[in-house]
């Protein structure tokens, strides 16, 4: 299988050859030859080699055992190809770095002072979520990352590892370990598992990378930048549709985060103690450092003349005590001295800063700035004692039921649900103005209400333990009214997190999540009414901003790709004057997924395409599933992606609008027309076609995806087969597996075809970042879809008339979208203007098609009732392999 590596990328050739060697060594020569034959015939077909289409693919001669091995082989090749491309920056964007952004702004006359003024109040936050689209086990990702580390050594010309192993042999061993590592999870992931997975990224990547990035940015700015980029998480706090997230799981997430970050600080201080061997015999030491040294009570004679070491001994002792106080556990390397725990991270930062000032006071030598001490101070500023800010999230319907029960039990209102919106708002505001609590120790509450009360009380306890930065956001899913937000304040008040009075306070911000097309259209009116409430205005003014979350996934499932994209943009634009009128800064939280159908694609391009004036230096973006491993799996990729996010935010906030007002008006009118046509086409197929739900469930592996055990959350919000109740993730993921990718393009072809002025569309594609980004993401999806393969999945639909009717419409829609895109972008083929991405996708296609064909055959056997366990395993393996090859499919 040495010829597995067919690309021009030398890394792919090298890794493919090693994978072939591993398969030959552990699977035998016969398996190797079978796999290589299937690979070669598929490659020839995709290259258009004459007569290749008539050659037997060899798939039907595989036994079930060979099928499992074949799928694993193709999956591992795709994983290694991904690694090779990431190393060569195939998906990296040019000029997506801070230095380039600063240069670009300077060309527009925007200088250093304006940049620093923005950064003083800026926030850029990637928020990790547990949304289940990462199909690979962490063990697989760990081996892949070790191969990346070894390849980096190979780049440097290093022949041996520090342990004395030959680098090439070490890489071969890691590939052999991948081959022999179980791909599938045996048990369903629990919330605790998801917490630990997120912590591995925060500990191994974010903790070292963010201080390193800040050091780079400080040099680019020639000034110390504020700590504006911070990590967030939903894992352990997102209860929407997940009954397994409780007060206990939230407390676990917070405690493990504190334990992780404190262990990092302890290691860093210990290392600094070994490094700062400065003696008073050779230098003057500041009074502040001497004071810290004396306060440490470190009386070791060998350190009498080493005040920095003694000061750090005291800091280590205090950190050790803080670790025990916050986690209930002794520090991994307990301090030999005793110390008082830090009350808050700022105390630790100040003591570290005193040491830094002491070093700087000695002169302008190399000890005066930066280094390990500077990185530690930056880490304490950025991560505090909580590591990542944890968001809470729950569905508005749950809040309504809980508040209704509390009001009834307290004798305030017997039937809150029967009240209209005005009456609800009036009642809730009255309750929020009163210091009286609704809860009583003598009342008997339902399990749901008791659980929600336990959550807010756990949040209050977390604030007291870890500081207020540990939880600052409470997302309200399916928010459709002001009362939906006031209900959260009522619950927070029960835990002391909302404090009534002349100057009311909310220690956690209630944030609406507008998800459907109708919700996005109604968002401005709701936010105007919300910010118009005097108590809310007071709280928002004190905080300085109010966040609104906009959902890409459900709006797409509701209205299709083009309408979702446009309504998100229009909704953001419409919110801007509402916030300006209220004199409150707007902070948008973008709920994006990995697939284009859920807002995926380039974060850099997406941020730059935001409507003028809607970023303002503050943005949060969800990072989920396979995107986390792809963007933050290694320190190098994390550096690239985090810097792209930060630099795009800077540009989107400060760069002058390049679109003339007249053009903006013309383009918006055109998008209104395109969106209306696309919406009608999409809704007509998905929600108005008789039998479409049956077609979807038979022509995709939606039912089998549930067997992957890739997340703790159910696939549907309710026990229903309706598409409305299906979560957006399995909706998009299923269509990707069947190579239809319908959520990423359907309806756009009809819209382009019906729009008469194609010249205007070409203008938009060339001069409007929003439209250009929309088309670029869709083009990538079209290139990864394949109607010939999709037809094999359609054959799984039992009703012939239903199958032919719906698949015919899908195929026709794809052809129209394909042709329309090429017309608008002036191309003769997909990705003609993106050769790097074209090569990447063309490399993968010969490896995906055989997996799809095998999956279809296995689905047929499974659905016929064949009980061989290898059939089910093969289906799950093929789902895993196809997702790996497609990369952003969930």
């Amino acid at each position: 299988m040495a010829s597995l590596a067919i690309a021009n990328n030398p890394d792919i050739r090298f890794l493919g050859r090693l994978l072939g060697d591993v398969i030959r060594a552990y699977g035998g020569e016969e398996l190797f030859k079978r796999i290589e034959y299937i690979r070669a015939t598929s490659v020839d077909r995709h290259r258009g080699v004459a007569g290749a289409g008539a050659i037997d693919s060899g798939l039907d001669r595989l036994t079930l055992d060979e099928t499992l091995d074949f799928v694993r082989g193709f999956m591992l090749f795709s994983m290694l190809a991904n690694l090779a491309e990431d190393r060569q920056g195939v998906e990296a964007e040019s000029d997506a770095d801070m230095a380039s952004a600063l240069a670009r702004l300077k060309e527009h006359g925007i200088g250093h002072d304006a940049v620093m003024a923005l950064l003083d109040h800026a926030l850029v936050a990637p928020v990790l979520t547990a949304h289940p689209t990462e199909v690979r086990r962490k063990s697989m990702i760990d081996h892949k990352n070790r191969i990346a580390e070894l390849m980096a050594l190979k780049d440097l010309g290093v022949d041996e590892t520090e342990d004395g192993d030959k680098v090439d042999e070490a890489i071969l061993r890691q590939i052999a370990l991948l081959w022999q590592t179980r791909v599938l999870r045996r048990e369903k992931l629990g919330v605790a598992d998801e917490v630990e997975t997120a912590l591995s990224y925060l500990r191994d990547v974010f903790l070292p990378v963010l201080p390193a990035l800040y050091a780079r940015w400080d040099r680019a700015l020639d000034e110390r930048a504020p700590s504006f980029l911070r990590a967030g998480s939903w894992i352990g706090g997102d209860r929407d549709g997940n009954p397994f997230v409780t007060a206990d799981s939230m407390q676990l997430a917070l405690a493990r985060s504190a334990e992780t970050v404190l262990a990092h600080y302890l290691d860093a201080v210990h290392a600094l103690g070994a490094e700062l061997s400065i003696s008073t015999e050779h230098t003057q030491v500041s009074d502040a450092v001497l004071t810290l040294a004396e306060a440490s009570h470190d009386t070791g004679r060998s350190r009498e003349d080493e005040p920095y070491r003694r000061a750090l001994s005291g800091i280590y002792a205090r950190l050790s005590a803080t670790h025990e106080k916050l986690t209930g556990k002794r520090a991994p390397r307990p301090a030999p001295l005793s110390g008082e725990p830090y009350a808050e991270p700022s105390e630790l930062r100040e003591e570290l800063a005193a040491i830094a000032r002491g070093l700087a006071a000695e002169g302008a030598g190399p000890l005066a700035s930066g280094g390990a001490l500077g990185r530690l101070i930056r880490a304490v500023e950025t991560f505090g004692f909580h590591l990542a800010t944890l968001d809470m999230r729950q569905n508005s319907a749950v809040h309504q039921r809980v508040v209704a029960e509390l009001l009834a039990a307290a004798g305030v209102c017997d039937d809150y649900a029967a009240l209209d919106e005005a009456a609800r708002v009036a009642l809730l505001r009255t309750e929020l103005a009163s210091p009286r609590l609704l809860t009583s120790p003598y009342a008997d509450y339902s399990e749901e209400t008791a659980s929600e009360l336990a959550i807010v009380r756990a949040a209050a306890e977390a604030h007291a333990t870890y500081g207020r930065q540990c939880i600052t956001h409470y997302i309200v899913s399916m928010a459709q009214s002001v009362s939906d937000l006031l209900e959260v304040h009522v619950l927070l008040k029960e835990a002391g997190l909302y404090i009534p009075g002349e100057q009311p306070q909310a220690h956690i911000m209630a944030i609406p999540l507008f998800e459907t097309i109708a919700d996005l259209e109604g968002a401005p009116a709701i936010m105007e009414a919300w910010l118009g409430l005097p108590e809310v205005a007071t709280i928002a003014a004190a905080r300085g901003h109010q966040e609104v979350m906009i959902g890409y996934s459900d709006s797409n499932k509701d209205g299709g790709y083009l309408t979702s994209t446009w309504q998100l943009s229009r909704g953001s634009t419409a919110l801007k004057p509402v916030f300006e009128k209220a004199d409150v800064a707007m902070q948008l939280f973008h709920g994006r997924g990995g697939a284009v159908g859920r807002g995926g694609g380039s974060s850099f391009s997406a941020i730059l395409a935001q409507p003028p004036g809607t970023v303002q230096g503050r943005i949060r973006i969800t990072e989920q599933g396979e995107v986390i491993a792809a963007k933050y799996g290694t320190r190098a990729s994390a550096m690239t992606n985090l810097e792209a996010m930060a630099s795009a935010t800077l540009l989107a906030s400060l760069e002058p609008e390049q679109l003339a007002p007249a053009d903006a008006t013309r383009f918006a009118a055109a998008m209104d027309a395109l969106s209306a046509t696309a919406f009608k086409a999409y809704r007509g197929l998905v929600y108005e076609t008789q039998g479409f739900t049956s077609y979807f469930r038979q022509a995709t592996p939606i039912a089998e995806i549930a067997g992957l055990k890739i997340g703790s959350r159910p696939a549907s919000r309710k026990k229903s087969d309706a598409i409305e109740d299906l979560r957006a993730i399995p909706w998009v993921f299923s269509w990707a597996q069947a190579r239809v990718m319908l959520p990423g393009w359907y309806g756009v072809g009809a819209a382009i075809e019906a729009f008469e002025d194609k010249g205007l569309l070409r203008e938009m594609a060339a001069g409007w970042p929003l439209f250009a980004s929309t088309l670029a993401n869709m083009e990538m999806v079209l290139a990864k879809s394949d109607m010939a393969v999709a037809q094999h999945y359609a054959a799984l639909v039992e009703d012939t008339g239903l199958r032919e009717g719906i698949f015919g419409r899908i195929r026709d829609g794809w052809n129209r979208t394909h042709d329309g895109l090429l017309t608008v972008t002036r191309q003769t083929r997909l990705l003609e203007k993106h050769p790097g991405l074209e090569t990447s996708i063309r490399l993968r296609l010969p490896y995906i098609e055989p997996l799809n064909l095998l999956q279809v055959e296995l689905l047929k056997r499974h659905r016929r009732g064949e009980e061989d366990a290898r059939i089910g395993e093969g289906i799950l393996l093929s789902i895993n392999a196809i997702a790996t090859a497609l990369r952003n499919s969930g």
Side-chain angles (χ1 to χ4, degrees):
M1 200 164 168
S3 56
L4 251 182
I6 58 171
N8 293 326
N9 187 317
D11 286 352
I12 295 180
R13 289 199 301 272
F14 171 71
L15 294 171
R17 177 175 58 78
L18 294 186
L19 176 59
D21 292 343
V22 165
I23 293 175
R24 185 186 283 111
Y26 290 97
E29 188 67 29
E30 186 60 31
L31 175 66
F32 171 82
K33 287 181 177 178
R34 283 183 183 272
I35 293 177
E36 174 58 17
Y37 176 80
I38 295 168
R39 185 207 66 79
T41 56
S42 184
V43 167
D44 286 346
R45 281 197 303 277
H46 279 267
R47 284 178 170 174
V49 174
I55 299 173
D56 177 18
S57 69
L59 290 171
D60 59 351
R61 291 195 297 279
L62 293 174
T63 66
L64 278 175
D65 286 332
E66 288 173 336
T67 295
L68 300 183
D69 286 336
F70 166 78
V71 173
R72 285 196 300 128
F74 268 38
M75 181 203 69
L76 291 181
F77 176 75
S78 296
M79 180 185 287
L80 295 172
N82 294 346
L83 183 156
E85 291 185 346
D86 289 343
R87 280 170 36 78
Q88 295 206 355
V90 169
E91 295 198 347
E93 291 155 290
S94 61
D95 299 328
D97 59 89
M98 188 65 72
S100 296
L102 293 173
R104 188 162 149 181
L105 290 172
K106 190 174 182 179
E107 290 176 359
H108 293 292
I110 299 166
H112 177 270
D113 291 346
V115 170
M116 294 306 297
L118 179 82
L119 295 182
D120 279 340
H121 69 267
L123 173 71
V124 178
V127 181
L128 308 185
T129 82
H131 287 24
T133 60
E134 174 55 84
V135 293
R136 297 168 299 175
R137 290 177 64 213
K138 185 65 167 55
S139 298
M140 303 287 289
I141 296 171
D142 289 342
H143 287 307
K144 185 207 77 169
N145 289 344
R146 178 57 180 153
I147 293 170
E149 293 169 2
L150 291 165
M151 292 292 286
L153 290 179
K154 189 177 173 68
D155 291 342
L156 297 172
V158 176
D159 189 48
E160 290 186 357
T161 68
E162 290 183 354
D163 299 322
D165 294 331
K166 289 285 188 181
V167 170
D168 285 6
E169 292 176 3
I171 295 171
L172 181 65
R173 277 196 293 275
Q174 289 297 319
I175 295 175
L177 286 168
L178 275 172
W179 177 254
Q180 297 190 86
T181 296
R182 173 169 45 84
V183 175
L184 300 174
R185 296 182 179 94
R186 297 298 185 216
E187 302 295 331
K188 187 176 179 66
L189 278 180
V191 178
D193 300 313
E194 293 168 338
V195 166
E196 292 303 318
T197 297
L199 283 176
S200 70
Y201 289 102
L202 291 167
R203 177 189 64 241
D204 300 336
V205 178
F206 281 80
L207 270 169
V209 160
L210 278 180
L213 268 178
Y214 279 118
R216 178 189 295 176
W217 297 340
D218 291 348
R219 292 190 294 271
L221 291 162
D222 199 25
E223 184 177 344
R224 193 174 192 276
S227 297
F228 65 93
L229 199 157
R230 301 168 183 265
S233 175
W234 275 12
I235 304 171
D238 177 13
R239 315 188 303 291
D240 181 18
N242 191 342
F244 305 109
V245 175
T246 63
D248 287 343
S249 60
M250 190 168 78
Q251 288 168 330
L252 170 69
L254 292 163
R256 286 289 294 119
S257 293
E259 187 177 349
T260 298
V261 75
L262 287 168
H264 177 82
Y265 296 160
L266 285 163
D267 287 344
V269 170
H270 180 76
L272 278 171
E275 179 181 328
L276 296 182
S277 55
I278 298 167
S279 170
T280 53
E281 293 181 8
H282 299 296
T283 188
Q284 293 290 321
V285 178
S286 69
D287 289 341
V289 173
L290 291 173
T291 299
L292 285 174
E294 291 302 314
S296 72
H297 303 296
D298 182 352
T299 58
R301 293 191 62 184
S302 64
R303 292 182 295 279
E304 281 180 341
D305 65 329
E306 298 174 340
Y308 286 96
R309 278 182 164 169
R310 289 193 289 129
L312 287 164
S313 293
I315 291 173
Y316 190 93
R318 294 194 67 184
L319 263 177
S320 187
T322 306
H323 185 284
E324 188 162 354
K325 175 189 173 185
L326 297 188
T327 69
K329 302 175 183 178
R330 296 189 70 194
R333 187 191 296 110
L337 305 174
S338 61
E340 286 294 315
Y342 291 107
E344 54 188 26
S346 60
E347 287 187 7
L348 168 61
R349 188 205 177 281
E350 180 51 38
E351 291 190 353
L352 293 169
I355 293 177
R357 287 192 295 269
L359 291 170
E362 295 174 16
L367 296 179
S369 63
L373 177 58
R375 290 192 293 274
L376 177 56
I377 291 171
R378 182 66 81 172
V380 174
E381 280 183 12
T382 306
F383 300 103
F385 292 158
H386 62 282
L387 184 57
T389 298
L390 182 66
D391 286 6
M392 302 169 69
R393 184 168 80 130
Q394 183 56 283
N395 195 287
S396 60
V398 175
H399 297 144
Q400 180 187 314
R401 292 193 297 268
V402 169
V403 168
E405 184 175 344
L406 292 177
L407 291 168
V412 176
C413 177
D414 290 336
D415 193 357
Y416 170 76
L419 300 179
D420 62 21
E421 174 64 7
R424 288 187 188 186
V425 169
L427 175 58
L428 295 172
R429 292 185 67 199
T430 299
E431 285 302 315
L432 289 169
S434 168
R436 171 184 55 81
L437 298 180
L438 291 172
T439 50
S440 166
Y442 306 108
D444 185 19
Y445 298 112
S446 67
E447 182 179 347
E448 180 178 63
T449 295
S451 176
E452 293 302 307
L453 290 172
I455 282 278
V456 292
R457 288 166 181 159
E461 184 180 336
H463 274 204
T465 303
Y466 309 109
R468 290 184 184 174
Q469 284 301 309
C470 70
I471 302 175
T472 57
H473 305 91
Y474 194 131
I475 313 295
V476 183
S477 299
M478 293 297 175
Q480 298 173 333
S481 65
V482 168
S483 63
D484 287 340
L485 300 175
L486 289 172
E487 287 161 4
V488 171
H489 278 177
V490 168
L491 293 175
L492 293 175
K493 180 181 165 219
E494 294 300 309
L497 294 170
Y498 182 97
I499 302 171
E502 289 188 13
Q503 298 290 319
Q505 302 173 47
H507 295 164
I508 296 176
M509 177 169 37
I511 298 165
L513 168 50
F514 299 114
E515 300 178 79
T516 66
I517 301 300
D519 291 346
L520 288 166
E521 291 173 343
I526 293 172
M527 292 313 297
E528 183 173 15
W530 173 246
L531 294 171
L533 298 178
E535 59 272 38
V536 172
T538 298
I539 291 166
R543 184 187 299 118
H545 67 277
Q546 167 69 47
E547 182 169 284
V548 173
M549 185 173 184
I550 50 179
Y552 290 66
S553 303
D554 282 288
S555 62
N556 176 284
K557 184 163 68 74
D558 183 43
Y561 175 59
L562 190 67
T563 300
S564 169
T565 301
W566 181 228
Q567 287 300 328
L568 287 162
S569 179
R570 286 198 59 167
S572 302
T573 302
L575 285 168
K576 182 173 175 281
V578 171
F579 278 77
E580 289 173 344
K581 179 182 176 182
D583 196 25
V584 174
M586 178 172 69
Q587 178 173 300
L588 290 180
F589 185 10
H590 298 261
R592 304 175 82 224
V596 167
R598 297 200 307 112
S602 160
S603 294
F604 185 75
S605 298
I607 294 172
L608 290 182
Q610 292 306 303
T614 61
V615 177
Q616 303 174 356
R618 304 187 68 89
I619 191 168
R620 297 205 304 148
I621 299 175
T622 54
E623 303 282 29
Q624 51 196 264
E626 78 280 11
V627 171
I628 296 176
K631 293 175 70 171
Y632 308 115
T634 66
R635 295 182 186 183
S637 62
M639 292 274 282
T640 298
N641 285 289
L642 290 170
E643 183 155 31
M645 191 182 296
S647 58
T649 301
L650 200 62
L651 290 169
S653 303
L654 294 176
E655 195 169 34
E657 168 60 20
Q658 298 178 29
L659 200 62
D663 287 339
T665 300
R666 287 192 304 132
F667 293 173
M671 276 295 276
D672 283 339
L674 289 168
S675 174
T677 306
F679 180 78
K680 182 178 179 181
Y682 176 85
R683 295 286 302 188
L685 175 70
V686 174
Y687 293 103
E688 297 165 12
T689 298
Q690 185 74 24
F692 184 83
T693 300
S694 297
Y695 177 93
F696 163 65
R697 293 193 171 274
Q698 292 179 44
T700 74
I702 176 65
E704 290 76 13
I705 284 171
L708 274 172
K709 302 179 174 66
I710 57 177
S712 64
R713 204 165 63 161
S716 290
R717 287 187 168 92
K718 303 175 184 177
K719 292 183 177 179
S720 159
D721 283 343
I723 291 172
E724 291 88 340
D725 296 326
L726 182 70
R727 291 194 177 277
I729 292 168
W731 164 254
V732 172
F733 196 59
S734 302
W735 285 116
Q737 286 287 312
R739 301 291 300 287
V740 179
M741 310 275 194
L742 183 138
W745 57 266
Y746 194 83
V748 182
I752 293 174
E753 187 177 272
F755 196 85
E756 292 185 3
D757 190 350
K758 301 296 192 293
L760 175 56
L761 297 185
R762 293 190 186 103
E763 273 189 73
M764 292 162 60
W768 190 17
L770 173 67
F771 196 56
S773 175
T774 300
L775 293 182
N777 287 332
M778 186 180 75
E779 186 175 2
M780 182 264 291
V781 168
L782 290 173
K784 290 184 178 181
S785 58
D786 188 318
M787 289 301 105
V789 172
Q791 189 163 13
H792 288 280
Y793 284 87
L796 295 168
V797 178
E798 296 171 357
D799 186 313
T800 303
L802 182 68
R803 175 177 68 239
E804 293 178 352
I806 292 180
F807 181 72
R809 290 173 66 181
I810 291 173
R811 182 175 52 201
D812 178 60
W814 188 92
N815 288 328
R816 291 163 126 194
T817 304
H818 169 273
D819 295 347
L821 176 81
L822 295 184
T823 297
V824 171
T825 59
R826 297 179 184 272
Q827 297 180 109
T828 60
R829 67 178 188 278
L830 293 175
L831 301 176
E832 183 179 350
K833 296 178 181 178
H834 306 280
L837 183 57
E838 181 183 28
T839 299
S840 172
I841 291 176
R842 287 188 183 279
L843 166 69
R844 282 168 169 71
L845 294 180
Y847 296 86
I848 305 175
E849 181 181 302
L851 294 169
N852 286 123
L853 298 177
L854 277 175
Q855 185 181 89
V856 169
E857 290 307 309
L858 292 169
L859 286 170
K860 288 178 182 176
R861 296 176 66 174
H862 174 68
R863 293 175 182 182
R864 284 200 302 261
E866 293 189 39
E867 297 180 352
D868 193 311
R870 292 172 295 181
I871 294 173
E873 184 177 358
I875 292 171
L876 299 184
L877 275 174
S878 67
I879 291 172
N880 193 308
I882 293 167
T884 300
L886 290 172
R887 304 207 74 175
N888 51 356
S889 61

